Amino acid sequence: MILNPQEMVEAERHLIEGGINPESLMDEAGLGIANAVSQFFPQPGTLFVFVGHGHNGGDALVAARHLKARGWITELKFATSINNLKPLTSKKLHEFEKEPARPNRLYDSGQKLPLISIDGLLGIGASGDLRPGYLELAIEINSLRDNYHAVTFSLDIPSGLDGKSGNAYEGAVVADFTLTIAYPKTGLLRDHSINYVGRLVLINLPNIYPLPGQGDHDAFLINSFSLGGFLNKSLHDAHKGINGHVGIIGGNQGMIGASVLSGIAALKGGAGLVTIIAREDMYSLIASISPPEIMIVPVKSYTEVNEMPLDTIAIGPGLGKGEWDSEVLELLTSEIRPLIIDADALNLLARNNPSELQNAPGPRLLTPHPGEMKRLDPEGDGTRRERAESFAKKTSSTVLLKGARTIIASDSATQPSAYNSTGNPGMSSAGVGDTLTGLCAALVARGLKVFDAACLGSWINGRAAEIAIFDGNESIQSLTASDLPKQYGKCFNDLEKSAF
């Protein structure tokens, strides 16, 4: 569910009027914030905490106290005189000051340590232009980010961003992470707000719940809490035959790596068996670069897939176009098994009539990037969410519209759409979509519904990109698609631990 800022304020006020102590909410939120920072930056470094006079500043001070105790060297910067702090925020300042600093032994090691800014200036109750004192500190936060590569964490919403419309006022904070409390706010999910919001993290506060009639029930944010229960524990007598058999159609001239990337992702995503269905003239090339766990089956015609014992089929990675187009089009519209449709299979649909999928006998998951979406639905308009929802209905399919905030929409009137929360700009490179296709195919083969597989697959693929950078040796610039499946194991573990 998504709330607008006023609904969130009303929900909090209703809770407090019902007897919940606002200090306990602040302590819980502040601890959640500190834990989120520690997840992405487990090694303490230098922390600048920008504090407003209200409860958003109090949340920041609670987080700062916890991080100080974990070894962060912490400096506070106030937008107003400390005499103007709200009473509860002032109390949290005193608690911060009493917290003894824990020494960080790595400061003298020569190792590069993280530099972080916490934006606790303004919360969702603020609107309009940034006032004096706040504007100057917002500019300082952005300067630290631009000139010193500091990573910015904004609390609940980047200061200077409108919580409902997502419009940015002059000097608005540009966040790398926005830690939204209890529920995502409408402005954080607007298409035009992504470059201010960055990675969206939900700080779960189960005591806060919307009032009757509140919230957008037609959409939700994908995170480890909303994914709870998607994966069941494996039985002790599990074997490859019950973990699903994925078939991958693609990998033609000049693009054989795409099919292999999908195959590797399917393996690391839990498929029991993975087979790449290769044209005869491509067989030896694909076999030469595939890991030994992947089977390669040469075919004269893709119609031979009809006789193969596959549980789900991914079509498109490196497919290209050629004399096989009619065979593939027939599979897309008449195959009874679930299909994950990507890349050149989407382009094939775009050159024909995508609405023919309405009569397909099996589930379909379409995974277009924005350019493919435009080719598939050139007359479509509206927001990314509206376009995904509209095309899902036109094709009776599930649509996973890739992008900086991946959106998943279903043709079902009762299924809310979903926004993915994970990922980073390092994913804007060739082959990342191929890994997502293979991963989703594996999850469907293991028994998940295509919508659930799309949600879980997008979360895992994005989380893998984060782990490769924050826990590994990669950077935004160096990250490649091949790095992602290597991290899927940690992602599945993170899911069990309810990571952010």
Side-chain angles (χ1 to χ4, degrees):
M1 182 186 297
I2 302 164
L3 299 184
N4 68 46
Q6 185 57 42
E7 289 173 329
M8 186 67 191
V9 170
E10 290 174 0
E12 289 182 352
R13 183 170 59 243
H14 180 77
L15 197 63
I16 292 168
E17 289 173 353
I20 294 294
N21 185 347
E23 184 174 6
S24 66
L25 293 177
M26 182 177 288
D27 288 338
E28 191 175 358
L31 177 59
I33 291 162
N35 289 341
V37 171
S38 293
Q39 172 182 295
F40 293 104
F41 294 93
Q43 175 56 53
T46 299
L47 181 69
F48 291 102
V49 185
F50 294 79
V51 183
H53 77 286
H55 286 179
N56 194 254
D59 293 341
L61 288 167
V62 174
R65 174 170 59 82
H66 287 291
L67 293 169
K68 180 182 179 183
R70 298 174 189 180
W72 288 81
I73 301 300
T74 306
E75 180 177 340
L76 305 182
K77 293 176 175 285
F78 294 91
T80 65
S81 166
I82 61 173
N83 296 324
N84 294 330
L85 298 178
K86 287 188 174 181
L88 185 52
T89 303
S90 180
K91 180 180 180 182
K92 298 306 168 185
L93 172 59
H94 293 313
E95 291 177 359
F96 169 84
E97 292 172 335
K98 292 178 182 177
E99 182 68 44
R102 176 186 167 192
N104 187 332
R105 297 177 182 177
L106 291 179
Y107 269 96
D108 297 325
S109 68
Q111 180 177 332
K112 185 177 180 181
L113 300 177
L115 174 62
I116 287 177
S117 298
I118 288 184
D119 165 26
L121 294 175
L122 295 169
I124 56 173
S127 62
D129 292 331
L130 290 166
R131 301 187 302 276
Y134 289 85
L135 176 60
E136 288 78 7
L137 287 190
I139 291 172
E140 184 176 347
I141 292 172
N142 289 339
S143 177
L144 285 168
R145 182 178 184 272
D146 293 340
N147 299 320
Y148 299 95
H149 305 292
V151 176
T152 301
F153 284 79
S154 285
L155 308 190
D156 221 12
I157 193 164
S159 296
L161 193 75
D162 187 276
K164 187 172 183 179
S165 70
N167 294 331
Y169 297 99
E170 180 184 358
V173 169
V174 177
D176 297 289
F177 296 82
T178 296
L179 312 183
T180 185
I181 309 298
Y183 291 92
K185 317 311 181 292
T186 53
L188 300 177
L189 297 172
R190 303 292 189 190
D191 292 348
H192 54 270
S193 69
I194 181 66
N195 285 330
Y196 289 90
V197 174
R199 163 65 148 100
L200 190 53
V201 177
L202 180 69
I203 305 300
N204 190 40
L205 294 188
N207 285 327
I208 296 181
Y209 46 87
L211 300 177
Q214 283 189 334
D216 178 359
H217 293 263
D218 294 327
F220 67 96
L221 184 70
I222 302 168
N223 53 58
S224 60
F225 303 105
S226 64
L227 294 173
F230 274 30
L231 289 178
N232 296 320
K233 285 190 176 295
S234 297
L235 299 174
H236 290 297
D237 64 351
H239 54 82
K240 64 186 178 183
I242 66 173
N243 285 338
H245 189 173
V246 171
I248 298 170
I249 296 176
N252 282 306
Q253 188 68 42
M255 298 177 290
I256 60 172
S259 61
V260 176
L261 277 172
S262 286
I264 293 170
L267 283 174
K268 300 297 284 185
L273 296 162
V274 177
T275 298
I276 296 177
I277 296 103
R279 306 290 294 189
E280 285 184 330
D281 56 343
M282 292 291 106
Y283 169 78
S284 60
L285 288 174
I286 294 176
S288 70
I289 66 170
S290 295
E293 298 90 345
I294 294 179
M295 296 176 285
I296 319 295
V297 175
V299 296
K300 288 185 173 66
S301 167
Y302 288 132
T303 58
E304 296 176 44
V305 171
N306 294 326
E307 306 303 321
M308 295 182 184
L310 306 171
D311 294 298
T312 191
I313 306 169
I315 305 182
L319 178 67
K321 60 181 179 179
E323 71 276 6
W324 55 81
D325 281 1
S326 61
E327 302 167 0
V328 172
L329 190 61
E330 177 68 16
L331 284 170
L332 297 178
T333 56
S334 64
E335 172 59 53
I336 194 170
R337 290 166 290 193
L339 300 184
I340 316 302
I341 305 174
D342 188 25
D344 285 322
L346 294 172
N347 292 329
L348 176 61
L349 281 174
R351 294 194 300 271
N352 290 274
N353 183 7
S355 63
E356 290 185 8
L357 290 179
Q358 287 186 337
N359 298 317
R364 301 293 187 259
L365 171 59
L366 312 182
T367 62
H369 58 55
E372 291 163 343
M373 188 76 237
K374 183 65 177 175
R375 289 191 288 274
L376 286 163
D377 192 22
E379 304 303 319
D381 58 10
T383 65
R384 281 169 45 81
R385 173 181 163 187
E386 289 168 344
R387 296 200 64 186
E389 291 174 342
S390 172
F391 197 65
K393 290 179 173 59
K394 289 179 184 178
T395 57
S396 298
S397 303
T398 297
V399 173
L400 186 159
L401 180 54
K402 292 180 282 199
R405 186 85 67 223
T406 290
I407 297 168
I408 297 133
S410 169
D411 63 320
S412 169
T414 60
Q415 175 61 66
S417 296
Y419 292 85
N420 187 39
S421 61
T422 58
N424 57 47
M427 301 178 75
S428 54
S429 62
V432 169
D434 300 317
T435 61
L436 178 62
T437 295
L439 173 58
C440 290
L443 296 171
V444 173
R446 288 181 67 94
L448 268 68
K449 296 177 181 178
V450 292
F451 184 89
D452 294 345
C455 291
L456 180 55
S458 62
W459 188 89
I460 288 175
N461 219 42
R463 181 73 187 118
E466 296 170 356
I467 292 171
I469 290 174
F470 290 107
D471 294 357
N473 299 313
E474 302 305 328
S475 68
I476 294 295
Q477 296 78 14
S478 71
L479 189 70
T480 65
S482 298
D483 297 319
L484 303 185
K486 299 172 186 175
Q487 309 298 339
Y488 287 175
K490 292 181 180 178
C491 297
F492 283 111
N493 290 336
D494 275 355
L495 192 62
E496 293 184 0
K497 294 185 295 185
S498 297
F500 292 100

